[in-house]
């Protein structure tokens, strides 16, 4: 048949093509089982009519399988000191993440066959999750491949399509192995928290096998249809919100939190990295373009509101573009200062949170965590003559509304101790408001602040202007632990607070707070609301016993009347 094909002048000879495939298959560094399967496909191709659609499917399948780098491993070059220098040079701060990466490198150096838990870098946008993985690949001398999982709904994107039609293709993990040209690349699964599911399947469930060190030595892609060893692949994932990751998938990963940057950290990142990067990108020389330190702080405080530094980088790029125009028009040099920055970027977009100018009744400095870092959350309470209604405004979520109701119930139960009229819930309407109503607010951590504001309003005792507080309150007045203390404490520091009241159970979290904040803010821990009052209120309310005595007499009189 081969000779007849040559005599007839056929350009594509199936027999010759199949033999070429067989030669390539025999040269693969893989198991005999895989070779037998591919050889069977080559034999099938030999018997197919020239130009048939099925032959195209088989041909594409063999080409794709031959691209898999069986037995090819990049030689790891792990030097812990060098790796730490690379990480420190390319990333400011993030010490916790760097320490964890160095620990992994030390283990890989001692045991190259180690297959540990999958790392998940979780944090707000723009804090450097993706870039630190690039630095890790550079320090390990490994190939780096990024897989964007955001918006994936089809399970076939992970496991591949079955070979039942011409457009079938392998999943993204196999494609990443092929792109990395080795069986031990670093594969970054970016935005794993944004994987969706619908009638096409659940991609998150398909990732379970790939991300399990005990199972991924035999990962089977529907298109490839034979086991591929992924045990040498270093998988790292990133996420903005771990609460949206399915529990079985989250259980397979070790979460490393990347918190928002402080103002000082952003300043160093801008000065040491971002400005140099943007000047190089815009071909600006040091003698042509300068930004003063005051201008950098102004950029951070007045033109960006974020946890990371992405918008800060965009603002610096905008300054570089405007400077380029002036330089091209003949100006010798451009210097950006806090005095002329508005000429380049326009009016300031944000004003920093500030504490009140004097002690106020019924107004307290709460603290909140947001995706762009911590913020001061003022809470106002007014007691009005009425019938005992509770009004909640300020775009509050269900959890925060429940905290407010819990606070009111607690104050009612301890009214006599706080020197408050015990009948206030009958003749007073309580209005609780959180300013900036356009911004949704939720969470239990404002419980202590709301309670303090209610007591202040009903007793007429002002709250100290420079005190901020955070913590959930129970129905019995206990201060319960909260999250995001690092971001909240930074917000209090920036606003000018000198004292921050936190729950006793959050004392352990003070280790994560920067020395800059600790040196300016006094953190006071409390276990219940009674401990909070002497710290937050200008004076401690005195208990009222008269109401209780009168009430007891009235109760006794009614009891006697019933008896008679």
């Amino acid at each position: 048949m081969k000779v007849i094909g040559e005599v007839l002048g056929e350009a594509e000879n199936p027999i010759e093509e199949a033999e070429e495939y067989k030669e390539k298959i025999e040269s693969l560094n893989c198991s005999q089982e895989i070779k037998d399967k591919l050889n069977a496909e080559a034999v099938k191709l030999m018997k197919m009519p020239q130009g048939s659609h099925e032959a195209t499917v088989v041909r594409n399948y063999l080409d794709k399988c031959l691209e898999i780098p069986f037995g090819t491993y990049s030689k790891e070059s792990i030097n812990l000191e060098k790796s730490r220098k690379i990480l420190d040079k390319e990333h400011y701060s993030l010490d916790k993440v760097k320490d964890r990466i160095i620990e992994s490198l030390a283990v890989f150096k001692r045991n190259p066959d180690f297959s540990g838990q999958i790392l998940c870098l979780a944090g707000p946008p723009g804090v450097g999750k993706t870039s630190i993985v690039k630095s890790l690949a550079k320090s390990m001398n490994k190939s780096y491949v990024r897989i964007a999982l955001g918006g994936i709904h089809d399970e076939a994107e992970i496991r591949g399509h079955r070979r039942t039609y011409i457009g079938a293709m392998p999943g993204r993990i196999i494609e990443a192995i092929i792109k990395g040209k080795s069986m031990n690349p670093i594969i970054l699964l970016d935005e794993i928290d944004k994987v969706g599911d619908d009638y096409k399947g659940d991609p998150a469930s398909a990732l379970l096998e790939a991300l399990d060190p005990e199972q991924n030595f035999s990962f089977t892609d529907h298109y490839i249809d034979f086991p591929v060893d992924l045990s040498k692949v270093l998988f790292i994932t990133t996420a903005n919100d771990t609460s949206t990751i399915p529990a079985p998938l989250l259980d397979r990963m070790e979460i490393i939190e990347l918190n928002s940057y402080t103002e000082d950290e952003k300043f160093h990142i801008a000065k040491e990295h971002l400005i140099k990067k943007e000047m190089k990108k815009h071909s600006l020389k040091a003698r042509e373009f300068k930004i003063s330190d005051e201008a950098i702080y102004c950029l951070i405080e007045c033109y960006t509101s974020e946890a990371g530094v992405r918008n800060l980088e965009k603002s610096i790029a905008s300054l570089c573009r405007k400077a380029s125009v002036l330089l091209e028009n003949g100006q010798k040099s451009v210097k950006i200062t806090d005095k002329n920055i508005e000429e380049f970027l326009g009016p300031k977009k944000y004003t920093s949170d500030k504490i009140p100018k004097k002690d106020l009744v019924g107004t307290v400095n709460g603290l909140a965590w947001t995706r762009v870092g911590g913020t001061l959350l003022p809470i106002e309470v007014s007691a009005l003559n009425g019938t005992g209604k509770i009004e909640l405004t300020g775009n509050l979520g269900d959890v925060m509304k429940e905290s407010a109701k819990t606070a009111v119930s607690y104050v009612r139960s301890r009214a006599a101790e706080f020197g408050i009229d015990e009948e206030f819930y009958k003749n007073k309407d309580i209005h609780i408001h959180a300013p900036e109503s356009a911004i949704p607010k939720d969470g239990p951590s404002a419980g202590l602040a709301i309670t303090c504001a209610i007591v202040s309003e009903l007793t007429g005792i002002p709250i100290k202007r420079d005190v901020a507080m955070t913590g959930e309150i129970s129905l019995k007045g206990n201060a319960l632990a909260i999250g995001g203390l690092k971001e909240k404490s930074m917000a209090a520091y920036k606003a000018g607070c000198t004292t921050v009241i936190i729950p006793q159970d959050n004392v352990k979290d003070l280790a994560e707070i920067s020395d800059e904040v600790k040196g300016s803010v006094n953190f006071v821990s409390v276990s219940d609301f009674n401990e909070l009052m002497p710290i937050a209120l200008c004076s401690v309310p005195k208990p009222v016993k008269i109401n209780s005595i009168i009430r007891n007499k009235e109760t006794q009189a009614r009891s006697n009347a019933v008896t008679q």
Side-chain angles (χ1 to χ4, degrees):
M1 289 179 66
K2 182 177 177 181
V3 173
I4 291 170
E6 290 175 356
V7 171
L8 292 175
E10 292 178 352
E12 296 182 3
N13 192 329
I15 308 295
E16 187 175 344
E17 186 181 21
E19 287 182 356
E20 288 178 4
Y21 276 123
K22 284 184 178 182
E23 289 177 9
K24 292 178 181 177
I25 292 167
E26 286 304 317
S27 65
L28 289 177
N29 185 10
C30 62
S31 65
Q32 189 59 42
E33 182 184 353
I34 295 175
K35 289 182 180 180
D36 292 342
K37 182 172 182 58
L38 296 179
N39 279 322
E41 294 293 327
V43 171
K44 192 189 297 183
L45 180 65
M46 184 189 304
K47 298 176 181 179
M48 288 180 183
Q50 185 179 354
S52 71
H53 293 300
E54 194 173 352
T56 303
V57 172
V58 175
R59 194 176 291 114
N60 291 340
Y61 171 73
L62 289 172
D63 288 339
K64 188 60 68 175
C65 290
L66 289 170
E67 288 179 8
I68 299 175
F70 293 107
T72 303
Y73 296 93
S74 56
K75 189 176 180 181
E76 295 178 1
S77 174
I78 299 176
N79 184 320
L80 298 184
E81 189 177 346
K82 178 185 174 185
S83 299
R84 185 72 196 209
K85 284 181 179 177
I86 291 174
L87 292 172
D88 287 338
K89 181 182 177 183
E90 298 185 358
H91 301 275
Y92 184 83
S93 187
L94 302 177
D95 293 329
K96 185 179 176 182
V97 183
K98 292 175 185 175
D99 291 341
R100 181 62 184 84
I101 287 173
I102 294 299
E103 289 169 11
S104 295
L105 293 178
V107 173
F108 280 122
K109 188 173 182 179
R110 294 182 68 84
N111 181 15
D113 297 326
F114 177 76
S115 56
Q117 200 169 14
I118 312 300
L119 299 181
C120 177
L121 305 180
V127 294
K129 299 185 294 295
T130 304
S131 59
I132 204 165
V133 179
K134 288 182 183 178
S135 301
L136 172 62
K138 183 178 176 182
S139 66
M140 291 184 73
N141 194 30
K142 277 191 171 189
S143 54
Y144 160 81
V145 186
R146 174 179 171 268
I147 300 176
L149 297 178
I152 288 182
H153 288 266
D154 192 352
E155 183 187 340
E157 292 280 352
I158 305 299
R159 283 191 176 277
H161 302 259
R162 299 190 184 276
R163 284 183 293 123
T164 54
Y165 53 91
I166 291 176
M169 61 178 68
R172 296 198 181 194
I173 291 179
I174 295 297
E175 289 285 7
I177 294 287
I178 294 171
K179 186 178 178 181
K181 297 181 181 178
S182 71
M183 297 300 288
N184 63 338
I186 291 179
I187 295 181
L188 174 64
L189 300 173
D190 212 4
E191 310 290 359
I192 198 168
D193 58 323
K194 296 177 179 61
V195 173
D197 64 300
D198 57 13
Y199 66 94
K200 296 179 182 177
D202 183 4
S205 299
L207 284 167
L208 292 176
E209 183 185 2
L211 296 183
D212 193 333
E214 303 298 325
Q215 299 177 25
N216 63 7
F217 62 88
S218 59
F219 175 76
T220 303
D221 185 278
H222 288 157
Y223 182 83
I224 302 298
D225 204 23
F226 54 74
V228 177
D229 185 5
L230 301 181
S231 60
K232 303 294 184 186
V233 177
L234 179 56
F235 286 103
I236 299 179
T237 66
T238 68
N240 296 135
D241 184 7
T242 55
S243 64
T244 60
I245 303 175
L249 186 58
L250 189 64
D251 185 57
R252 284 164 167 78
M253 300 186 289
E254 179 184 344
I255 307 298
I256 300 177
E257 294 281 352
L258 280 79
N259 297 313
S260 58
Y261 291 117
T262 66
E263 184 179 323
D264 189 55
E265 288 172 340
K266 287 183 181 179
F267 171 78
H268 285 284
I269 291 169
K271 190 167 185 178
E272 297 171 18
H273 300 281
L274 301 181
I275 293 175
K276 293 177 182 177
K277 176 182 173 184
E278 292 301 324
M279 285 178 66
K280 183 178 180 182
K281 192 183 291 185
H282 292 82
S283 297
L284 294 172
K285 297 176 182 177
R287 58 182 171 80
E288 295 176 326
F289 179 74
K290 292 180 181 178
I291 303 180
S292 69
D293 292 352
E294 293 77 13
I296 298 173
Y297 277 114
C298 187
L299 271 179
I300 295 166
E301 292 177 10
C302 305
Y303 289 93
T304 62
S305 176
E306 56 177 345
V309 292
R310 193 166 288 152
N311 287 326
L312 178 59
E313 184 176 359
K314 291 177 183 176
S315 299
I316 294 170
S318 178
L319 291 174
C320 290
R321 290 194 301 271
K322 295 180 187 303
S324 298
V325 173
L326 295 175
L327 292 169
E328 288 299 314
N329 287 336
Q331 193 166 319
K332 297 296 182 183
S333 64
V334 176
K335 184 173 182 179
I336 311 294
T337 66
D338 57 331
K339 301 290 188 297
N340 67 0
I341 194 168
E342 291 191 34
E343 297 175 15
F344 293 87
L345 297 179
K348 295 174 181 177
K349 298 178 182 177
Y350 305 99
T351 56
S352 57
D353 296 323
K354 295 295 181 186
I355 59 176
K357 295 181 180 179
K358 61 179 181 178
D359 301 337
L360 298 173
V361 174
T363 300
V364 66
N365 297 319
L367 296 170
W369 178 91
T370 68
R371 288 184 178 274
V372 295
T375 181
L376 202 68
L377 178 66
I379 294 172
E380 301 171 347
V381 174
S382 287
L384 316 167
N385 291 329
T387 57
K389 295 177 184 176
I390 300 175
E391 191 73 30
L392 304 170
T393 56
N395 203 350
L396 309 183
D398 292 337
V399 178
M400 198 165 178
K401 288 178 181 177
E402 289 178 0
S403 289
K405 292 175 183 176
T406 303
V408 173
S409 297
Y410 171 70
V411 174
R412 281 182 59 185
S413 69
R414 300 294 179 89
E417 295 179 27
F418 299 149
I420 298 170
D421 178 12
E422 293 185 334
E423 304 294 322
F424 80 88
Y425 66 94
K426 292 181 180 179
N427 51 38
K428 294 287 186 183
D429 288 346
I430 305 295
H431 189 155
I432 301 169
H433 177 66
E436 297 188 26
S437 300
I439 302 172
K441 308 167 190 73
D442 202 4
S445 61
L448 288 178
I450 294 172
T451 309
C452 187
I454 293 172
V455 171
S456 170
E457 178 68 17
L458 293 175
T459 60
I461 300 174
I463 299 172
K464 296 175 184 175
R465 58 185 286 274
D466 58 351
V467 172
M469 61 192 72
T470 181
E472 182 180 355
I473 192 166
S474 73
L475 204 54
K476 299 300 182 182
N478 296 321
L480 307 179
I482 45 83
L485 184 61
K486 181 183 177 184
E487 289 83 359
K488 292 175 180 178
S489 61
M490 175 55 62
Y493 164 66
K494 288 165 65 177
C497 296
T498 58
T499 303
V500 173
I501 300 172
I502 63 172
Q504 183 70 44
D505 293 339
N506 282 110
V507 172
K508 62 182 184 301
D509 299 323
L510 293 176
E512 298 181 2
I513 295 172
S514 65
D515 295 334
E516 175 190 357
V517 176
K518 286 181 182 176
S520 303
V521 177
N522 178 32
F523 290 91
V524 182
S525 62
V526 298
S527 57
D528 60 41
F529 184 76
N530 286 331
E531 296 177 16
L532 177 145
M533 288 192 294
I535 305 164
L537 298 175
C538 292
S539 62
V540 179
K542 296 179 180 179
V544 174
K545 298 181 180 178
I546 299 172
N547 287 349
S548 299
I549 294 169
I550 294 172
R551 190 178 62 200
N552 289 337
K553 287 181 179 179
E554 290 175 349
T555 304
Q556 186 65 37
R558 284 196 298 268
S559 178
N560 293 337
V562 170
T563 304
Q564 290 173 0

